[in-house]
Amino acid sequence: MPDLLFIVESTLQALTAGLALGSIYGLMCVGLAVIFGIMRVINFAQGEFLMLGMYFALYAVVGTALKDWAGSALGSYIAVIGSAPLFYVVGTLIHRTLMSRVSGIKVLATDDEGQSAQLILTLGLSLVLQNGALIVFGSAPRGLGSSLASAAWEVGLPGDGGSIFINQARAVAGALAVLITVALAIFMSRTRLGKGLRAAADHPVAATYMGIDVARCHRIAFGLGTALTAVAGALVATYYPLQPYVGLEFVVIMYAGVVLGGMDSIKGAFWGGLIIGVVQQMSALILPTQLQTTAIFVIFLLVVFFMPQGLFGRVSDRA
Amino acid sequence: MLKIDALSVTYGGLLALDQVSIRADEGEFIAIVGPNGAGKSTLFKAISGTVAAASGTISLDGTDLLAVAPPMRPHRGIAHVPEGRQVFKSLSVADNIAMGAWPLAPRAAEWTQTLERVHALFPVLAERRDQLAGTLSGGEQQMLAIARALAGKPRLLLLDEPSMGLSPRIADLIFDCIQTVHKTEGMTVVLVEQRAVEALSSCNRGYVLESGRIVLQGSQADLLGDDRVRKVYLGR
Ligand SMILES: Nc1ncnc2c1ncn2[C@@H]1O[C@H](COP(=O)(O)OP(=O)(O)OP(=O)(O)O)[C@@H](O)[C@H]1O
Ligand SMILES: [Mg+2]
């Protein structure tokens, strides 16, 4: 039965590829969920933060001596690590100068919770960053040229089940994405600051009565969300070509993943992204590539229809 | 300790507090009674800074509290138990208490002590320490709201209608706990209540607030002896 063997082999192949890719999508979704979960702001510039993370990695590796010194593979992971603090600071600055004007305790009490102003601001930011990137970086697609992008690990299946290939750049990126998400989840659930962020999200006024500076929490959340997304971008750049509009390719995945997982749960957002990665890769087994995004949306609509809370929506509130 | 002078607060032109002056000395138990909409919660919100004062002054130990940013005020030793409990529903009971201790940033040993202290007052919170606060009963949530405030070891405790929506038995238990804390820890307490009997019988001094104005003030004996208070608030 060579056919069955082939099916098993290609299913496992698609599953591993989906898990690696889905983990990276998961990290992007987590970036979005941190901002929404704590600030109640939907950030429409999320795709552009991802794009900027990619360009940062590109210029850090190609534009500096990093490549000669550490090689293209190690160099790109050093760039990934470097993008975190840099984009955290960028995020806090954007919050301080722009976001704080249309979000925070004072707008949460208003009729639309400031959502129209936030939509206009983040959408505007996204357009400015896209077109700014076009001017500064040019429209030609570029690549990091990491040596891992075209290398694969071969894993033999038991018996004469053949073997599957795992792209090294995607596997490493996926593993790092999982690691970062776990670290963030531990930070949010165990540390004093993490709990403070959750308290500020849960009841901003009561948090103020505890002496928690909600505006500072929002700044930290925006910085964290920006950094997580940019790090995801830097990871994507290790295997995917970049151009100024690359964010658009991922932004749909981010929103679908976050809605799947429940808008304000970090773990849920990660699972949402992971599911999308797996569905996308598995659907390639039976559907032409052009229909992969359609497959994502079919799953998405099914979940929205049957479980509007998302797969992991919280039901903790009694009142 | 707390001194409020000619404080006025407006909500979009509507006067909610009109030249209110209130004082609480170190270790005192102050009761503020008044009907719905009198401005009692507004007074506490002005102290905590979640509503702005239109005019007047609020000082704590001689320093101008209005000049202190709202989230920094608890760091000066004020704890506010808001009307309607406002616990963090998605956090565990223990984490809610930990948030109350935010200004102290306690180390492990100190934190254990704090937990023991509030668990001794409200043993039910020890049983439910890992439960999400949103799943507690109303009475338990009120106990948690008070425990959370006490965890910060405040010098001034503001309590806004802690008996609201509770059965008489649970309300009595809560009043007893407040008394205990006031007596054993010497904490200054300002209690806003509609249950005037309980509030006035535990206080040293009290104020009657009606339509944003202080209409009467005095010692416990003065207020309990006042004809109008007896008629309107004590119902006898
Ligand atoms: N955010 C607000 N906007 C407009 N008016 C308000 C606001 N909050 C309170 N008010 C008004 O201010 C007045 C005082 O309200 P406050 O909540 O302080 O009363 P209270 O004495 O605490 O009443 P209760 O015993 O019912 O809690 C009321 O007339 C109320 O309608
Ligand atoms: Mg009130």
Side-chain angles (χ1 to χ4, degrees), chain A residues 24-206:
Chain A
I24 304 160
Y25 293 167
L27 184 61
M28 297 175 195
C29 294
V30 166
L32 182 61
V34 165
I35 292 176
F36 180 80
I38 296 171
M39 296 177 67
R40 301 282 131 183
V41 167
I42 300 177
N43 175 29
F44 288 96
Q46 198 69 10
E48 281 57 52
F49 290 169
L50 188 91
M51 176 267 293
L52 288 178
M54 292 179 80
Y55 273 102
F56 170 77
L58 174 76
Y59 282 101
V61 174
V62 179
T64 67
L66 197 56
K67 190 170 187 166
D68 311 320
W69 175 72
S72 62
L74 182 62
S76 54
Y77 296 115
I78 294 175
V80 168
I81 294 169
S83 67
L86 176 73
F87 281 92
Y88 176 81
V89 172
V90 168
T92 55
L93 287 178
I94 292 176
H95 179 270
R96 206 183 274 275
T97 52
L98 298 172
M99 292 311 298
S100 61
R101 290 164 203 271
V102 297
S103 65
I105 273 197
K106 58 185 187 302
V107 310
L108 284 171
T110 60
D111 286 343
D112 75 337
E113 301 181 331
Q115 280 167 7
S116 351
Q118 290 159 9
L119 183 138
I120 292 163
L121 180 73
T122 59
L123 212 55
L125 187 62
S126 132
L127 293 175
V128 168
L129 292 176
Q130 251 174 41
N131 291 299
L134 197 60
I135 295 168
V136 177
F137 305 132
S139 60
R142 312 184 48 184
L144 217 64
S146 165
S147 57
L148 297 187
S150 49
W153 282 301
E154 183 178 355
V155 181
L157 296 175
D160 59 348
S163 56
I164 56 174
F165 294 89
I166 306 169
N167 180 290
Q168 293 187 0
R170 292 183 191 211
V172 173
L176 289 174
V178 171
L179 214 70
I180 293 165
T181 305
V182 169
L184 180 76
I186 292 174
F187 165 73
M188 290 300 286
S189 63
R190 300 280 165 79
T191 66
R192 177 175 124 91
L193 181 56
K195 290 172 189 178
L197 291 172
R198 280 161 55 219
D202 185 301
H203 202 309
V205 171

Side-chain angles (χ1 to χ4, degrees), chain A residues 189 192-193 195-200 202-214 216 314-319, chain B residues 45 48 50 70-71 74-75 78 80 82 86-92 95 99-103 105 132 134-137 148:
Chain A
S189 63
R192 177 175 124 91
L193 181 56
K195 290 172 189 178
L197 291 172
R198 280 161 55 219
D202 185 301
H203 202 309
V205 171
T208 308
Y209 294 151
M210 304 298 112
I212 296 170
D213 185 343
V214 175
R216 178 171 161 257
R314 275 206 297 255
V315 280
S316 63
D317 286 14
R318 225 163 97 144
Chain B
K45 288 178 192 167
S48 289
T50 50
H75 297 255
I78 299 178
H80 181 167
Q86 304 188 0
V87 296
F88 302 113
K89 292 184 175 175
S90 62
L91 268 62
S92 71
D95 285 349
M99 291 302 99
W102 184 267
L132 291 185
T135 64
L136 295 178
S137 76
R148 182 177 71 169

Side-chain angles (χ1 to χ4, degrees), chain B residues 165-236:
Chain B
L166 303 183
S167 71
R169 199 177 61 81
I170 302 290
D172 283 347
L173 192 144
I174 299 240
F175 283 124
D176 283 348
C177 282
I178 297 169
Q179 279 290 356
T180 309
V181 171
H182 170 64
K183 293 229 173 74
T184 58
E185 306 193 14
M187 201 176 279
T188 312
V189 176
V190 181
L191 171 68
V192 155
E193 257 303 330
Q194 296 213 33
R195 293 192 193 216
V197 183
E198 286 88 347
L200 291 178
S201 59
S202 27
C203 75
N204 306 115
R205 287 189 306 113
Y207 296 83
V208 178
L209 186 65
E210 284 176 8
S211 313
R213 289 203 188 82
I214 301 289
V215 294
L216 192 68
Q217 57 179 299
S219 67
Q220 183 189 38
D222 290 346
L223 291 173
L224 287 174
D226 186 87
D227 279 345
R228 232 175 69 78
V229 170
R230 291 169 69 128
K231 253 209 212 92
V232 178
Y233 294 103
L234 307 179
R236 54 188 160 190

